[in-house]
Amino acid sequence: MTGSTAATFTADDYRARMERAARAAAEAGLAGLLVAPGPDLVWLTGYTPPAVTERLTLLVLAAGQDPVLVVPALEAPDAHRAAGAAALTLRDWTDGKDPYAATAALLDASGRFGISDNAWALHLLALQQALPGSSYASLTEALPMLRAVKDTAELDLMAAAGAAADATFEEIRNLPFAGRRESEVAADLDRLLRGHGHEQVDFTIVASGPNGANPHHEAGERVIARGDMIVLDFGGLRDGYGSDTSRTVHVGEPTDEERRVHDIVREAQEAGFRAVRPGAACQDVDRAARRVIADAGYGEYFIHRTGHGIGVTTHEPPYMIEGEERPLVPGMCFSVEPGIYLPGRFGVRIEDIVTVTEEGGRRLNTTTRELVIVE
């Protein structure tokens, strides 16, 4: 992933991101940010450590201070080659030395810091011991929108990932389904996503017949049969940015009820999409989609939020869910994916990634949302 993003973004891009993050931290009343290996570190610096180990790697950001990346000495050469290395100071440490004391010297001893959600407890506890007057908040709690608004280059990468997922669907729909195991179709999805440029595949849900009533069903050994409704949900990372799309297909001709349920979900998905506009609350998207399904009498069978943010990870803030009053802002990207799940029978889900524009919303997935018949 580092190689792909390094080819796209420059040191100046990463410098601007780090400056923006430091300002956002100060505006949130934080003394700074502590960023451990993971998606935040990649997004801010372009650096992925060669291995995530017990050795401390930590980016320290604070308004008015130069960014500092604390790294083990044996990994410093890799850090120097990162695309954002020119925008920060590298401070390495050798085995046998105390990396926490070195890091503590960079921090306000009584400050409150935002820290990566995936930071190891080992490192956080050691920092607390070194700075007993300090306190910490997870980045999701402190700065949930840190990566939410994408710039033009990021939107181009998101669109390319969406197009690759669409191309995958166009190919999978023409392959045989009946008589094959779910796991075999899932393997086809994985192969096709990688063939269309994905370096990482995060999920390939193939939920046939009654398995479709489980939104997070893992493809198994069930043999797909004629008459099955099948929920396909797949995605991952292409050039460091996420794809995620769902379409529901049917093996042979569907029943009237199956068509009706699919039509309701399609109408709900359209309603959710049409609710996307700058200034609308995230919960407005959820409400619009949920209302269609509830009015059709299936409200109790829509059992998850309408959407989630996506970017350098396939699930991140913001979330399209009741109670989330955060306003939509141009550049945000998230899924709109209502569903109906009838236990023991079948399920339907339709999902597009949508980005907020100045006028409304733009779909990053454009394959048909009609019920597709497969063989």
Side-chain angles (χ1 to χ4, degrees), residues 6 76-85 90:
D78 297 291
H80 275 290
R81 287 192 290 270
L90 287 171

Side-chain angles (χ1 to χ4, degrees), residues 75-100:
E75 295 173 4
D78 297 291
H80 275 290
R81 287 192 290 270
L88 49 78
T89 298
L90 287 171
R91 183 164 300 182
D92 61 22
W93 61 276
T94 57
D95 286 353
K97 302 295 184 181
D98 184 353
Y100 306 106

Side-chain angles (χ1 to χ4, degrees), residues 7-355:
T8 302
F9 301 109
T10 68
D12 286 342
D13 294 321
Y14 291 113
R15 180 180 291 106
R17 289 178 186 178
M18 287 187 282
E19 290 174 351
R20 190 174 95 194
R23 286 196 303 272
E27 291 166 1
L30 298 171
L33 301 180
L34 307 178
V35 185
D40 291 316
L41 186 64
V42 174
W43 184 76
L44 287 163
T45 69
Y47 176 54
T48 299
V52 178
T53 72
E54 73 284 356
R55 292 184 174 93
L56 179 71
T57 295
L58 202 66
L59 175 67
V60 178
L61 296 178
Q65 299 180 20
D66 291 336
V68 176
L69 181 62
V70 179
V71 295
L74 74 168
E75 295 173 4
D78 297 291
H80 275 290
R81 287 192 290 270
L88 49 78
T89 298
L90 287 171
R91 183 164 300 182
D92 61 22
W93 61 276
T94 57
D95 286 353
K97 302 295 184 181
D98 184 353
Y100 306 106
T103 304
L106 303 171
L107 307 179
D108 178 347
S110 59
R112 181 169 177 79
F113 297 90
I115 189 166
S116 300
D117 296 8
N118 56 330
W120 285 24
L122 169 74
H123 301 318
L124 176 56
L125 292 171
L127 284 172
Q128 288 178 316
Q129 186 173 9
L131 294 173
S134 63
S135 60
Y136 304 85
S138 73
L139 280 187
T140 291
E141 172 194 342
L143 293 176
M145 296 296 105
L146 181 62
R147 306 192 312 256
V149 178
K150 278 66 176 176
D151 62 24
T152 300
E154 290 181 293
L155 289 173
D156 287 344
L157 289 171
M158 291 291 302
D166 284 355
T168 294
F169 177 71
E170 294 295 359
E171 291 192 49
I172 200 74
R173 64 181 287 185
N174 291 313
L175 296 180
F177 281 77
R180 303 178 69 209
R181 292 181 175 86
E182 292 174 339
S183 58
E184 294 176 292
V185 178
D188 283 337
L189 285 170
D190 186 292
R191 172 180 58 81
L192 290 168
L193 283 168
R194 294 183 190 278
H196 288 290
H198 281 62
E199 69 272 11
Q200 177 177 315
V201 176
D202 289 344
F203 44 87
T204 52
I205 293 172
V206 180
S208 64
N211 290 339
N214 175 3
H216 282 172
H217 172 72
E218 292 191 11
E221 296 309 296
R222 183 181 186 275
V223 176
I224 298 168
R226 291 192 66 80
D228 279 348
M229 191 84 92
I230 308 171
V231 177
L232 304 174
D233 184 347
F234 49 94
L237 298 181
R238 183 185 185 278
D239 289 337
Y241 281 77
S243 70
D244 185 2
T245 188
S246 299
R247 292 294 186 263
T248 302
V249 301
H250 196 278
V251 186
E253 284 301 314
T255 65
D256 289 344
E257 181 189 21
E258 287 169 332
R259 281 197 180 278
R260 182 171 68 254
V261 171
H262 191 278
D263 284 345
I264 292 166
V265 173
R266 181 171 52 79
E267 291 168 11
Q269 208 271 347
E270 179 67 20
F273 169 70
R274 291 190 178 280
V276 175
R277 62 185 184 281
C282 291
Q283 69 180 5
D284 292 341
V285 178
D286 182 81
R287 287 175 175 179
R290 199 168 299 276
R291 186 179 303 116
V292 173
I293 292 174
D295 288 351
Y298 288 92
E300 66 183 293
Y301 302 111
F302 181 10
I303 55 177
H304 56 72
R305 64 197 175 201
T306 293
H308 58 82
I310 185 170
V312 294
T313 60
T314 48
H315 287 76
E316 61 187 43
Y319 298 103
M320 306 302 112
I321 190 171
E322 181 65 30
E324 178 53 86
E325 298 180 351
R326 193 179 311 277
L328 300 180
V329 176
M332 283 182 173
C333 297
F334 48 84
S335 65
V336 178
E337 51 176 307
I340 292 175
Y341 308 94
L342 303 179
R345 302 182 62 205
F346 65 89
V348 175
R349 180 164 65 256
I350 301 172
E351 173 186 15
D352 293 328
I353 299 304
V354 173
T355 183

